Amino acid sequence: MKESNYKSYDELPLFLNTATVAKVLGIAPSSSYELMHEKDFPALRIGNRIVVPKEAFIRWVEQHRGGTE
């Protein structure tokens, strides 16, 4: 598993592309690309680009973290 380059949500850009999502989640770029095509993932298509708004990404992570509280 790859390690994330980011230490807090404050470091993220306003919109995340597939490469940034991969770095944040510590996954391969190809896995990030597949994730961004999932029905419940908050991705936006802008022309040929697919991006994720930072706040929507944070909410998605919180909803899917699956840890104990």
Side-chain angles (χ1 to χ4, degrees):
M1 180 171 166
K2 297 181 180 184
E3 185 176 324
S4 174
N5 295 335
Y6 297 94
K7 301 303 178 199
S8 77
Y9 290 132
D10 293 334
E11 297 177 12
L12 297 176
L14 187 57
F15 290 92
L16 292 72
N17 60 19
T18 54
T20 305
V21 170
K23 288 178 186 175
V24 171
L25 297 178
I27 60 176
S30 59
S31 296
S32 173
Y33 184 81
E34 288 178 21
L35 178 63
M36 292 181 84
H37 283 86
E38 291 289 324
K39 195 172 196 167
D40 73 331
F41 196 75
L44 301 173
R45 181 175 284 287
I46 302 174
N48 290 332
R49 294 187 66 212
I50 300 175
V51 295
V52 183
K54 174 181 174 175
E55 297 303 323
F57 177 75
I58 293 169
R59 282 193 303 274
W60 182 86
V61 169
E62 293 299 319
Q63 292 171 353
H64 292 87
R65 65 182 174 171
T68 58
E69 295 193 35

